[in-house]
Amino acid sequence: MTLFSSPAFENHEGLHAFHDEAAGLNCLIAIHSTALGPAAGGVRMWPYPDDQAAIDDALRLSRAMSHKNAMAGIALGGGKSVIIGDSRTAKTPAMFEALGRAVEGLGGRYWAAEDVGINPSDLAYARKQTRFVAGLEGHPAASGDPSPVTAEGVKRGIELCVRRTLGRSLAEVTVAIQGVGHVGALLAGKLAAAGAKLVICDVGAEATAAVAARTGARVVSPDAIFDVEADVFAPCALGGAISADTLPRLKARIVAGGANNQLTSAAIGQALFERGMTYAPDFVINGGGIINVAGEIRAIERGEAFDHAWVEAKVAAMIDTLGEVLDRAAADHQPADRVAVRMAKERIAAAKGR
């Protein structure tokens, strides 16, 4: 299969490869669409087993960002960066300065932000080489770490699904959270504050212990999280959590979390629908972070201070959009993920036709 005929390619505008031997950088930047505005999406660093795996991930994530940004109602297209390497051992300032030069070379068609394996201090080095980096601190337009806004959006989305599907409040449900990294840990705190009971897992024992100490969550192994008795399953780790193997094990009636690409295929979305489960499409419910980033980009471009009220209004509208997706799915008798993709494509197509 060639690059252009790959299902993951799906009309990408560009896939850019950058190599800097001295800095140790091997990076891909995928731009899916700029119909709504410049592409924006996080930088992910991961020890991919081979180049093809990195290419496939960049393309899938970039396309998902187009859909996410469209559904978030922001003037940004979809893009994504992946750095091939182990974020625990291979990071250097020179690597991220080289990344900044790569982003700068795209002439403003792509804005970079934080994603898996990356933190704001890494991107501060990239910022030395390009202005097209968001999610940093130290200037009037700064939005800071977008993770808290992502977690807040996911919490509100879970609350909506619980109310609609179960007729309950968060204080009356148990939520199983897979992954308590940046977003998962913050989500756990918000849900615990609302009275929810939590079951959590993570590959890092220290992370789970810390979250459990703060929230009273019960800790289980990463594999056992699929089998716990819970009302909501919240994937907040890497993608592909819901598969043909894991779906039959879930006891929850609701799947709603912060991870990207939660379903291994569209067939899994169909299977969720046929089982009568409520699925909050990942690229709708987890859009809070990119809304926060969009607020920073907006402020930078306007020469203004960051506007928290603008972000709050967009997050509230995002939850309304999630409700619209669930309404359409019920009315059309179709899986929610299929409905959400259709809505996102409609918004992108409308922008192209302007």
Side-chain angles (χ1 to χ4, degrees), residues 68 114-115 145-158 182-184 186-187 190 235-236 257-260 282 284-293 311 315 318-319:
K68 179 184 294 190
E114 172 195 4
D115 195 39
D145 182 359
S147 300
V149 188
T150 302
E152 176 62 22
V154 174
K155 179 257 184 183
R156 294 187 197 183
I158 290 174
H182 292 314
V183 172
L186 290 164
L187 175 63
K190 291 175 180 293
C236 294
N260 291 314
D282 47 35
V284 181
I285 194 174
N286 68 9
I290 195 62
I291 288 173
N292 201 62
V293 168
V311 171
V315 171
M318 178 186 79
I319 301 305

mmCIF file of all heavy atoms in Angstrom, residues 68 114-115 145-158 182-184 186-187 190 235-236 257-260 282 284-293 311 315 318-319:
data_model
loop_
_atom_site.group_PDB
_atom_site.id
_atom_site.type_symbol
_atom_site.label_atom_id
_atom_site.label_comp_id
_atom_site.label_asym_id
_atom_site.label_seq_id
_atom_site.Cartn_x
_atom_site.Cartn_y
_atom_site.Cartn_z
ATOM 1 N N LYS A 68 -11.586 17.451 15.468
ATOM 2 C CA LYS A 68 -11.703 18.044 16.806
ATOM 3 C C LYS A 68 -11.861 19.561 16.717
ATOM 4 O O LYS A 68 -12.743 20.149 17.366
ATOM 5 C CB LYS A 68 -10.478 17.702 17.648
ATOM 6 C CG LYS A 68 -10.503 18.297 19.045
ATOM 7 C CD LYS A 68 -9.223 18.025 19.810
ATOM 8 C CE LYS A 68 -9.033 16.562 20.104
ATOM 9 N NZ LYS A 68 -7.914 16.320 21.046
ATOM 10 N N GLU A 114 1.554 21.103 23.152
ATOM 11 C CA GLU A 114 1.984 19.949 23.948
ATOM 12 C C GLU A 114 1.129 18.717 23.659
ATOM 13 O O GLU A 114 -0.065 18.814 23.427
ATOM 14 C CB GLU A 114 1.869 20.322 25.427
ATOM 15 C CG GLU A 114 2.101 19.189 26.403
ATOM 16 C CD GLU A 114 1.624 19.543 27.802
ATOM 17 O OE1 GLU A 114 1.049 20.634 27.977
ATOM 18 O OE2 GLU A 114 1.813 18.722 28.703
ATOM 19 N N ASP A 115 1.763 17.545 23.695
ATOM 20 C CA ASP A 115 1.034 16.284 23.631
ATOM 21 C C ASP A 115 1.840 15.250 24.416
ATOM 22 O O ASP A 115 2.739 15.606 25.194
ATOM 23 C CB ASP A 115 0.798 15.861 22.176
ATOM 24 C CG ASP A 115 -0.259 14.770 22.039
ATOM 25 O OD1 ASP A 115 -1.257 14.815 22.767
ATOM 26 O OD2 ASP A 115 -0.083 13.858 21.218
ATOM 27 N N ASP A 145 -0.426 25.449 30.474
ATOM 28 C CA ASP A 145 -0.705 24.037 30.220
ATOM 29 C C ASP A 145 -2.186 23.865 29.864
ATOM 30 O O ASP A 145 -3.063 24.246 30.646
ATOM 31 C CB ASP A 145 -0.360 23.242 31.489
ATOM 32 C CG ASP A 145 -0.572 21.744 31.330
ATOM 33 O OD1 ASP A 145 -1.000 21.293 30.254
ATOM 34 O OD2 ASP A 145 -0.304 21.022 32.307
ATOM 35 N N PRO A 146 -2.497 23.284 28.689
ATOM 36 C CA PRO A 146 -3.908 23.110 28.309
ATOM 37 C C PRO A 146 -4.601 21.946 29.003
ATOM 38 O O PRO A 146 -5.828 21.821 28.917
ATOM 39 C CB PRO A 146 -3.827 22.861 26.799
ATOM 40 C CG PRO A 146 -2.490 22.236 26.598
ATOM 41 C CD PRO A 146 -1.577 22.881 27.616
ATOM 42 N N SER A 147 -3.849 21.098 29.705
ATOM 43 C CA SER A 147 -4.439 19.896 30.311
ATOM 44 C C SER A 147 -5.606 20.189 31.249
ATOM 45 O O SER A 147 -6.608 19.454 31.228
ATOM 46 C CB SER A 147 -3.365 19.094 31.045
ATOM 47 O OG SER A 147 -2.336 18.688 30.188
ATOM 48 N N PRO A 148 -5.536 21.226 32.101
ATOM 49 C CA PRO A 148 -6.684 21.478 32.986
ATOM 50 C C PRO A 148 -7.975 21.775 32.241
ATOM 51 O O PRO A 148 -9.061 21.389 32.694
ATOM 52 C CB PRO A 148 -6.222 22.692 33.811
ATOM 53 C CG PRO A 148 -4.735 22.605 33.812
ATOM 54 C CD PRO A 148 -4.392 22.087 32.451
ATOM 55 N N VAL A 149 -7.874 22.444 31.092
ATOM 56 C CA VAL A 149 -9.086 22.761 30.331
ATOM 57 C C VAL A 149 -9.605 21.502 29.638
ATOM 58 O O VAL A 149 -10.816 21.289 29.538
ATOM 59 C CB VAL A 149 -8.826 23.890 29.321
ATOM 60 C CG1 VAL A 149 -10.137 24.341 28.680
ATOM 61 C CG2 VAL A 149 -8.161 25.075 30.003
ATOM 62 N N THR A 150 -8.692 20.654 29.163
ATOM 63 C CA THR A 150 -9.123 19.365 28.615
ATOM 64 C C THR A 150 -9.880 18.572 29.667
ATOM 65 O O THR A 150 -10.973 18.042 29.412
ATOM 66 C CB THR A 150 -7.914 18.545 28.129
ATOM 67 O OG1 THR A 150 -7.191 19.281 27.149
ATOM 68 C CG2 THR A 150 -8.370 17.223 27.519
ATOM 69 N N ALA A 151 -9.315 18.485 30.854
ATOM 70 C CA ALA A 151 -9.943 17.719 31.936
ATOM 71 C C ALA A 151 -11.302 18.296 32.312
ATOM 72 O O ALA A 151 -12.255 17.548 32.575
ATOM 73 C CB ALA A 151 -9.025 17.690 33.153
ATOM 74 N N GLU A 152 -11.416 19.614 32.336
ATOM 75 C CA GLU A 152 -12.697 20.242 32.669
ATOM 76 C C GLU A 152 -13.756 19.911 31.617
ATOM 77 O O GLU A 152 -14.913 19.598 31.960
ATOM 78 C CB GLU A 152 -12.530 21.761 32.788
ATOM 79 C CG GLU A 152 -13.819 22.528 33.037
ATOM 80 C CD GLU A 152 -14.501 22.174 34.346
ATOM 81 O OE1 GLU A 152 -13.833 21.666 35.271
ATOM 82 O OE2 GLU A 152 -15.720 22.410 34.451
ATOM 83 N N GLY A 153 -13.373 19.953 30.346
ATOM 84 C CA GLY A 153 -14.314 19.600 29.294
ATOM 85 C C GLY A 153 -14.760 18.153 29.379
ATOM 86 O O GLY A 153 -15.943 17.841 29.210
ATOM 87 N N VAL A 154 -13.813 17.256 29.664
ATOM 88 C CA VAL A 154 -14.156 15.833 29.783
ATOM 89 C C VAL A 154 -15.079 15.611 30.977
ATOM 90 O O VAL A 154 -16.056 14.861 30.891
ATOM 91 C CB VAL A 154 -12.886 14.974 29.895
ATOM 92 C CG1 VAL A 154 -13.246 13.521 30.173
ATOM 93 C CG2 VAL A 154 -12.059 15.065 28.612
ATOM 94 N N LYS A 155 -14.784 16.266 32.073
ATOM 95 C CA LYS A 155 -15.652 16.150 33.262
ATOM 96 C C LYS A 155 -17.073 16.582 32.938
ATOM 97 O O LYS A 155 -18.051 15.911 33.283
ATOM 98 C CB LYS A 155 -15.057 16.968 34.402
ATOM 99 C CG LYS A 155 -15.895 16.949 35.678
ATOM 100 C CD LYS A 155 -16.667 18.235 35.847
ATOM 101 C CE LYS A 155 -17.425 18.293 37.154
ATOM 102 N NZ LYS A 155 -18.248 19.522 37.301
ATOM 103 N N ARG A 156 -17.211 17.726 32.259
ATOM 104 C CA ARG A 156 -18.554 18.200 31.906
ATOM 105 C C ARG A 156 -19.236 17.252 30.922
ATOM 106 O O ARG A 156 -20.450 17.035 30.991
ATOM 107 C CB ARG A 156 -18.471 19.599 31.305
ATOM 108 C CG ARG A 156 -18.004 20.669 32.269
ATOM 109 C CD ARG A 156 -18.117 22.048 31.635
ATOM 110 N NE ARG A 156 -17.332 23.040 32.344
ATOM 111 C CZ ARG A 156 -17.299 24.327 32.029
ATOM 112 N NH1 ARG A 156 -18.008 24.780 31.006
ATOM 113 N NH2 ARG A 156 -16.560 25.179 32.724
ATOM 114 N N GLY A 157 -18.455 16.690 29.998
ATOM 115 C CA GLY A 157 -19.022 15.741 29.049
ATOM 116 C C GLY A 157 -19.502 14.473 29.727
ATOM 117 O O GLY A 157 -20.574 13.934 29.393
ATOM 118 N N ILE A 158 -18.719 13.970 30.688
ATOM 119 C CA ILE A 158 -19.144 12.794 31.450
ATOM 120 C C ILE A 158 -20.419 13.108 32.220
ATOM 121 O O ILE A 158 -21.362 12.299 32.260
ATOM 122 C CB ILE A 158 -18.022 12.343 32.412
ATOM 123 C CG1 ILE A 158 -16.845 11.759 31.608
ATOM 124 C CG2 ILE A 158 -18.539 11.325 33.423
ATOM 125 C CD1 ILE A 158 -15.632 11.429 32.453
ATOM 126 N N HIS A 182 -1.324 13.601 32.758
ATOM 127 C CA HIS A 182 -1.729 15.004 32.905
ATOM 128 C C HIS A 182 -3.239 15.147 33.005
ATOM 129 O O HIS A 182 -3.770 15.682 33.978
ATOM 130 C CB HIS A 182 -1.229 15.827 31.707
ATOM 131 C CG HIS A 182 0.256 15.968 31.648
ATOM 132 N ND1 HIS A 182 1.013 16.293 32.741
ATOM 133 C CD2 HIS A 182 1.128 15.845 30.626
ATOM 134 C CE1 HIS A 182 2.279 16.366 32.402
ATOM 135 N NE2 HIS A 182 2.378 16.079 31.114
ATOM 136 N N VAL A 183 -3.961 14.687 31.977
ATOM 137 C CA VAL A 183 -5.404 14.884 31.933
ATOM 138 C C VAL A 183 -6.115 13.948 32.901
ATOM 139 O O VAL A 183 -7.017 14.357 33.643
ATOM 140 C CB VAL A 183 -5.937 14.690 30.505
ATOM 141 C CG1 VAL A 183 -7.462 14.703 30.478
ATOM 142 C CG2 VAL A 183 -5.380 15.776 29.578
ATOM 143 N N GLY A 184 -5.738 12.683 32.915
ATOM 144 C CA GLY A 184 -6.411 11.707 33.765
ATOM 145 C C GLY A 184 -6.353 12.061 35.239
ATOM 146 O O GLY A 184 -7.347 11.908 35.970
ATOM 147 N N LEU A 186 -5.982 15.092 36.568
ATOM 148 C CA LEU A 186 -6.824 16.263 36.804
ATOM 149 C C LEU A 186 -8.307 15.889 36.752
ATOM 150 O O LEU A 186 -9.112 16.367 37.557
ATOM 151 C CB LEU A 186 -6.519 17.333 35.758
ATOM 152 C CG LEU A 186 -5.151 18.002 35.887
ATOM 153 C CD1 LEU A 186 -4.801 18.737 34.591
ATOM 154 C CD2 LEU A 186 -5.121 18.956 37.065
ATOM 155 N N LEU A 187 -8.663 15.022 35.806
ATOM 156 C CA LEU A 187 -10.046 14.562 35.705
ATOM 157 C C LEU A 187 -10.452 13.829 36.983
ATOM 158 O O LEU A 187 -11.560 14.036 37.499
ATOM 159 C CB LEU A 187 -10.204 13.643 34.495
ATOM 160 C CG LEU A 187 -11.569 12.974 34.327
ATOM 161 C CD1 LEU A 187 -12.663 14.014 34.109
ATOM 162 C CD2 LEU A 187 -11.530 11.974 33.163
ATOM 163 N N LYS A 190 -11.330 16.297 39.665
ATOM 164 C CA LYS A 190 -12.606 16.973 39.427
ATOM 165 C C LYS A 190 -13.791 16.045 39.701
ATOM 166 O O LYS A 190 -14.801 16.464 40.291
ATOM 167 C CB LYS A 190 -12.656 17.484 37.982
ATOM 168 C CG LYS A 190 -11.698 18.645 37.697
ATOM 169 C CD LYS A 190 -11.710 19.035 36.222
ATOM 170 C CE LYS A 190 -10.765 20.180 35.950
ATOM 171 N NZ LYS A 190 -11.188 21.437 36.578
ATOM 172 N N PRO A 235 -11.321 6.415 29.052
ATOM 173 C CA PRO A 235 -9.962 6.198 28.543
ATOM 174 C C PRO A 235 -9.195 7.527 28.533
ATOM 175 O O PRO A 235 -9.631 8.490 27.899
ATOM 176 C CB PRO A 235 -10.183 5.688 27.116
ATOM 177 C CG PRO A 235 -11.651 5.396 27.010
ATOM 178 C CD PRO A 235 -12.316 6.295 27.991
ATOM 179 N N CYS A 236 -8.080 7.570 29.224
ATOM 180 C CA CYS A 236 -7.263 8.787 29.282
ATOM 181 C C CYS A 236 -5.792 8.471 29.055
ATOM 182 O O CYS A 236 -4.913 9.232 29.499
ATOM 183 C CB CYS A 236 -7.455 9.493 30.623
ATOM 184 S SG CYS A 236 -9.104 10.164 30.886
ATOM 185 N N GLY A 257 -13.940 9.787 27.693
ATOM 186 C CA GLY A 257 -12.648 10.070 28.306
ATOM 187 C C GLY A 257 -11.822 11.031 27.486
ATOM 188 O O GLY A 257 -12.264 11.539 26.450
ATOM 189 N N GLY A 258 -10.600 11.250 27.945
ATOM 190 C CA GLY A 258 -9.747 12.265 27.347
ATOM 191 C C GLY A 258 -8.792 11.787 26.281
ATOM 192 O O GLY A 258 -8.154 12.606 25.617
ATOM 193 N N ALA A 259 -8.655 10.474 26.082
ATOM 194 C CA ALA A 259 -7.694 9.960 25.103
ATOM 195 C C ALA A 259 -8.144 10.270 23.679
ATOM 196 O O ALA A 259 -9.335 10.446 23.406
ATOM 197 C CB ALA A 259 -7.523 8.450 25.269
ATOM 198 N N ASN A 260 -7.178 10.321 22.774
ATOM 199 C CA ASN A 260 -7.468 10.438 21.345
ATOM 200 C C ASN A 260 -7.613 9.053 20.726
ATOM 201 O O ASN A 260 -7.041 8.076 21.219
ATOM 202 C CB ASN A 260 -6.340 11.189 20.631
ATOM 203 C CG ASN A 260 -6.283 12.646 21.023
ATOM 204 O OD1 ASN A 260 -7.289 13.333 21.066
ATOM 205 N ND2 ASN A 260 -5.086 13.127 21.321
ATOM 206 N N ASP A 282 -14.410 10.922 21.098
ATOM 207 C CA ASP A 282 -13.239 11.494 21.763
ATOM 208 C C ASP A 282 -12.896 12.884 21.260
ATOM 209 O O ASP A 282 -12.559 13.779 22.041
ATOM 210 C CB ASP A 282 -12.029 10.554 21.655
ATOM 211 C CG ASP A 282 -11.812 10.007 20.254
ATOM 212 O OD1 ASP A 282 -12.067 10.730 19.267
ATOM 213 O OD2 ASP A 282 -11.390 8.841 20.143
ATOM 214 N N VAL A 284 -14.707 15.143 20.253
ATOM 215 C CA VAL A 284 -15.658 16.165 20.693
ATOM 216 C C VAL A 284 -15.437 16.475 22.175
ATOM 217 O O VAL A 284 -15.240 17.626 22.563
ATOM 218 C CB VAL A 284 -17.110 15.716 20.454
ATOM 219 C CG1 VAL A 284 -18.095 16.811 20.907
ATOM 220 C CG2 VAL A 284 -17.338 15.391 18.987
ATOM 221 N N ILE A 285 -15.435 15.447 23.005
ATOM 222 C CA ILE A 285 -15.380 15.655 24.449
ATOM 223 C C ILE A 285 -14.023 16.159 24.931
ATOM 224 O O ILE A 285 -13.938 16.854 25.951
ATOM 225 C CB ILE A 285 -15.771 14.350 25.196
ATOM 226 C CG1 ILE A 285 -16.045 14.628 26.672
ATOM 227 C CG2 ILE A 285 -14.703 13.278 25.031
ATOM 228 C CD1 ILE A 285 -16.563 13.418 27.431
ATOM 229 N N ASN A 286 -12.939 15.845 24.214
ATOM 230 C CA ASN A 286 -11.613 16.226 24.723
ATOM 231 C C ASN A 286 -11.054 17.478 24.045
ATOM 232 O O ASN A 286 -9.845 17.709 24.048
ATOM 233 C CB ASN A 286 -10.626 15.060 24.626
ATOM 234 C CG ASN A 286 -10.253 14.687 23.193
ATOM 235 O OD1 ASN A 286 -10.588 15.396 22.241
ATOM 236 N ND2 ASN A 286 -9.566 13.576 23.039
ATOM 237 N N GLY A 287 -11.942 18.309 23.495
ATOM 238 C CA GLY A 287 -11.492 19.490 22.767
ATOM 239 C C GLY A 287 -11.127 20.685 23.633
ATOM 240 O O GLY A 287 -10.712 21.727 23.097
ATOM 241 N N GLY A 288 -11.241 20.591 24.944
ATOM 242 C CA GLY A 288 -10.956 21.733 25.794
ATOM 243 C C GLY A 288 -9.536 22.242 25.671
ATOM 244 O O GLY A 288 -9.285 23.458 25.666
ATOM 245 N N GLY A 289 -8.584 21.317 25.565
ATOM 246 C CA GLY A 289 -7.192 21.730 25.475
ATOM 247 C C GLY A 289 -6.895 22.537 24.225
ATOM 248 O O GLY A 289 -6.210 23.569 24.281
ATOM 249 N N ILE A 290 -7.417 22.090 23.088
ATOM 250 C CA ILE A 290 -7.139 22.822 21.848
ATOM 251 C C ILE A 290 -7.907 24.135 21.823
ATOM 252 O O ILE A 290 -7.463 25.117 21.214
ATOM 253 C CB ILE A 290 -7.449 21.962 20.594
ATOM 254 C CG1 ILE A 290 -6.809 22.590 19.349
ATOM 255 C CG2 ILE A 290 -8.932 21.745 20.417
ATOM 256 C CD1 ILE A 290 -5.314 22.690 19.388
ATOM 257 N N ILE A 291 -9.045 24.202 22.514
ATOM 258 C CA ILE A 291 -9.735 25.487 22.656
ATOM 259 C C ILE A 291 -8.854 26.455 23.438
ATOM 260 O O ILE A 291 -8.721 27.634 23.085
ATOM 261 C CB ILE A 291 -11.097 25.303 23.354
ATOM 262 C CG1 ILE A 291 -12.089 24.612 22.410
ATOM 263 C CG2 ILE A 291 -11.654 26.646 23.824
ATOM 264 C CD1 ILE A 291 -13.403 24.226 23.066
ATOM 265 N N ASN A 292 -8.224 25.966 24.499
ATOM 266 C CA ASN A 292 -7.314 26.800 25.278
ATOM 267 C C ASN A 292 -6.150 27.291 24.417
ATOM 268 O O ASN A 292 -5.774 28.468 24.445
ATOM 269 C CB ASN A 292 -6.781 26.001 26.468
ATOM 270 C CG ASN A 292 -6.252 26.881 27.576
ATOM 271 O OD1 ASN A 292 -6.987 27.663 28.155
ATOM 272 N ND2 ASN A 292 -4.966 26.754 27.877
ATOM 273 N N VAL A 293 -5.603 26.379 23.618
ATOM 274 C CA VAL A 293 -4.513 26.741 22.705
ATOM 275 C C VAL A 293 -5.006 27.762 21.682
ATOM 276 O O VAL A 293 -4.313 28.738 21.361
ATOM 277 C CB VAL A 293 -3.961 25.487 22.009
ATOM 278 C CG1 VAL A 293 -3.038 25.856 20.856
ATOM 279 C CG2 VAL A 293 -3.230 24.602 23.011
ATOM 280 N N VAL A 311 -12.474 31.399 26.191
ATOM 281 C CA VAL A 311 -12.260 29.957 26.302
ATOM 282 C C VAL A 311 -13.441 29.291 26.995
ATOM 283 O O VAL A 311 -13.944 28.251 26.547
ATOM 284 C CB VAL A 311 -10.942 29.662 27.051
ATOM 285 C CG1 VAL A 311 -10.820 28.173 27.376
ATOM 286 C CG2 VAL A 311 -9.754 30.118 26.222
ATOM 287 N N VAL A 315 -15.786 26.266 25.534
ATOM 288 C CA VAL A 315 -15.928 24.963 26.206
ATOM 289 C C VAL A 315 -17.400 24.669 26.455
ATOM 290 O O VAL A 315 -17.870 23.533 26.250
ATOM 291 C CB VAL A 315 -15.120 24.938 27.521
ATOM 292 C CG1 VAL A 315 -15.437 23.672 28.317
ATOM 293 C CG2 VAL A 315 -13.619 25.008 27.226
ATOM 294 N N MET A 318 -18.873 23.601 23.305
ATOM 295 C CA MET A 318 -18.419 22.254 22.968
ATOM 296 C C MET A 318 -19.319 21.204 23.612
ATOM 297 O O MET A 318 -19.664 20.187 22.985
ATOM 298 C CB MET A 318 -16.969 22.081 23.424
ATOM 299 C CG MET A 318 -16.375 20.706 23.178
ATOM 300 S SD MET A 318 -14.718 20.570 23.925
ATOM 301 C CE MET A 318 -15.149 20.276 25.655
ATOM 302 N N ILE A 319 -19.723 21.425 24.850
ATOM 303 C CA ILE A 319 -20.606 20.476 25.519
ATOM 304 C C ILE A 319 -21.992 20.506 24.875
ATOM 305 O O ILE A 319 -22.650 19.464 24.738
ATOM 306 C CB ILE A 319 -20.681 20.778 27.026
ATOM 307 C CG1 ILE A 319 -19.277 20.686 27.649
ATOM 308 C CG2 ILE A 319 -21.628 19.807 27.726
ATOM 309 C CD1 ILE A 319 -18.566 19.372 27.415
#
